[in-house]
Amino acid sequence: MNQAARRIGRTLALVLPVVLVLSGTLAVTRVPWAAPNAESQVLTASSDTASTQAKAARAPHEVLRDRLLTQLQEKNPSVALTDLQTAVNGRPSLARHCADLARALGRAAVAKYGPKQAQNYSRPVCDTSFASGVAQGR
């Protein structure tokens, strides 16, 4: 019995790592990076375009800017400013971009609502950068 257990143990010691490596390799050969509705882009282990896809990735503050501007257009500047403050609080690395993002929201608010109504949404998010953007947008 002891001999059989050793034989099974040795077999598992040789076969198990191979199985784990192969299953891990197969699991990561197709990783969807795009949204399900977008054109199907996958990164494979042997992909020649991997470095090109990595360069095309956008910075987090650029993604946030687009999302905030969309919120401003679909809802109002208050929602976008609240989301900006929440994003900066949750991810402190965005703080250095906060003023630029708030100014962009201010300019977009002027374009949508006009200077007087846009100024009504002004709040002290990222100091007074939103108000500065409103003034620039006039």
Side-chain angles (χ1 to χ4, degrees):
M1 181 70 177
N2 197 10
Q3 193 71 4
R6 275 195 189 142
R7 191 174 319 138
I8 291 172
R10 285 184 195 153
T11 304
L12 281 177
L14 292 173
V15 173
L16 191 59
V18 173
V19 170
L20 290 175
V21 168
L22 288 176
S23 64
T25 303
L26 294 174
V28 298
T29 56
R30 293 186 56 87
V31 179
W33 294 103
N37 297 341
E39 181 181 298
S40 180
Q41 293 181 354
V42 293
L43 180 64
T44 60
S46 63
S47 177
D48 293 334
T49 61
S51 62
T52 306
Q53 290 175 353
K55 289 179 184 176
R58 297 177 51 208
H61 69 277
E62 293 171 343
V63 173
L64 178 61
R65 175 182 290 127
D66 291 346
R67 189 178 82 212
L68 294 173
L69 290 172
T70 300
Q71 282 183 343
L72 185 140
Q73 294 300 321
E74 293 176 354
K75 296 176 183 171
N76 63 51
S78 290
V79 174
L81 286 170
T82 300
D83 198 32
L84 172 60
Q85 188 65 53
T86 303
V88 170
N89 289 344
R91 194 169 182 182
S93 63
L94 293 172
R96 64 181 169 184
H97 303 287
C98 188
D100 291 334
L101 294 170
R103 274 193 293 275
L105 290 173
R107 288 189 298 269
V110 169
K112 182 173 181 180
Y113 297 103
K116 281 190 173 188
Q117 190 173 353
Q119 190 61 41
N120 291 336
Y121 290 103
S122 187
R123 295 196 325 224
V125 175
C126 307
D127 296 324
T128 57
S129 298
F130 179 81
S132 173
V134 169
Q136 288 175 352
R138 289 183 175 189

